Amino acid sequence: VIERLCIIGVGLIGGSLARALKDQHAVAQVVGCGRTVATLERALALGVIDRYALDVAEAVTDADMVVVAVPLGAMEPIFRQMRGGLAPSAALTDVGSAKTSVVEAARQAFGALPSGLVPGHPIAGAETSGVEASVPDLFVGHRVVLTPLPESDAVAVERVRRMWQTTGAQVAEMDYQHHDEVLAATSHVPHVLAYNLLDTLCALDASHEMLRYSAGSFRDFTRIAASDPTMWRDICIGNRAAVMAVLRRYTEGLERLSEAIADGDGEHLMQIFGRAKRTREHYERMMQDQTEQGLGSE
Ligand code: NAP
């Protein structure tokens, strides 16, 4: 049991984690922390947290587990502010969608990386945000990737792992740079493409009429463009090297595709579309197998 859990950023992810641990009676007390009193009051009223503090150092005092669940761009000041209050024995983790920038933020803020730091990323979420959207079963059957550092204490890693397992998640470990490359390809660039498609189309004269005639394919492709812009701005900038590497490959592919279309090169299009369709079918079977094993997708 976690004696005192401090959640900094009681939104969709932080709130859902608190709810899940409370439901499982795996935490004695949850202290919330954030920048907006109204959010923390709402979290209190919903029973997601037991009390709150606006001062970060005060909020982390005596916590045996600290979870930072703010947008990536806010991580460094939060780490900086907790320096005076964080107990050396506390486990410290985060839920940021990119990991290199979190490790760098911690290095900048703490100087030497604290041994209690175990960066993490729950591969679960929604297009909604805020504590009102938090639910206790958000992580059930989803993966949580931990990216322990050479400095990370084995006991802290084990405590963070157990915390996530309690929420019903499957915990995996990965090197943090590798995490960022994988997530750039499977999550970050797809969000950039969805945002770009909508932004490009809405600049067209007939965009209003076009949206009226859109079908399921448009809806499927653009669902993720409803996600929080602050969060995605921070992810793109925080993981820019890996995102740019994938975007360059994508742009080359799009240019090849454009040329084939311009040339009326049906054979080339069949090759590309056929390969992509087979990959999609393979992916579908993989997801099916995972569902049967009790593992959900994002
Ligand atoms: P969210 O629902 O908007 O929650 C973020 C929380 O952080 C809110 O309570 C917000 O409070 C607070 N906050 C924002 N800026 C802050 C600042 N500068 N200082 C202190 N508190 C601040 O967002 P979320 O979806 O939970 O995302 C949080 C983290 O989880 C992000 O790092 C994101 O990359 C990661 N993540 C998200 C998903 C997803 O699908 N949503 C999935 C996996 C990981 P107020 O705005 O009310 O002040």
Side-chain angles (χ1 to χ4, degrees), residues 8-14 33-36 39 69-72 74-75 78 95-98 121-126 128-131 228 231 235 298:
I8 304 173
V10 191
L12 171 72
I13 301 292
C33 179
R35 58 179 180 176
T36 311
T39 304
V70 298
L72 285 171
M75 295 274 179
I78 297 284
V95 299
S97 307
H121 175 206
I123 317 275
T128 48
S129 49
V131 69
D228 181 47
M231 172 175 146
I235 292 171
E298 189 171 9

Side-chain angles (χ1 to χ4, degrees), residues 157-229:
V157 177
E158 195 43 40
R159 282 167 56 204
V160 175
R161 168 184 284 276
R162 248 185 287 129
M163 175 181 76
W164 282 112
Q165 282 170 339
T166 306
T167 70
Q170 291 230 358
V171 180
E173 284 187 21
M174 214 186 260
D175 170 56
Y176 69 87
Q177 285 107 339
H178 185 55
H179 166 280
D180 285 2
E181 287 162 14
V182 171
L183 270 291
T186 55
S187 169
H188 306 169
V189 168
H191 278 79
V192 170
L193 303 186
Y195 280 126
N196 181 53
L197 181 75
L198 274 182
D199 189 54
T200 306
L201 291 190
C202 81
L204 300 179
D205 286 343
S207 65
H208 220 76
E209 196 205 350
M210 279 185 331
L211 289 184
R212 214 174 307 128
Y213 287 100
S214 68
S217 56
F218 185 80
R219 203 176 183 155
D220 286 349
F221 193 90
T222 58
R223 173 179 64 84
I224 54 180
S227 306
D228 181 47

Side-chain angles (χ1 to χ4, degrees), residues 22-73:
K22 281 188 161 217
D23 268 19
Q24 296 300 317
H25 307 287
V27 60
Q29 189 188 40
V30 181
V31 180
C33 179
R35 58 179 180 176
T36 311
V37 172
T39 304
L40 296 165
E41 283 289 344
R42 191 71 197 121
L44 201 57
L46 290 168
V48 173
I49 57 173
D50 302 306
R51 65 178 182 84
Y52 68 82
L54 290 170
D55 183 81
V56 179
E58 185 189 330
V60 301
T61 300
D62 294 331
D64 47 342
M65 175 72 73
V66 175
V67 180
V68 187
V70 298
L72 285 171

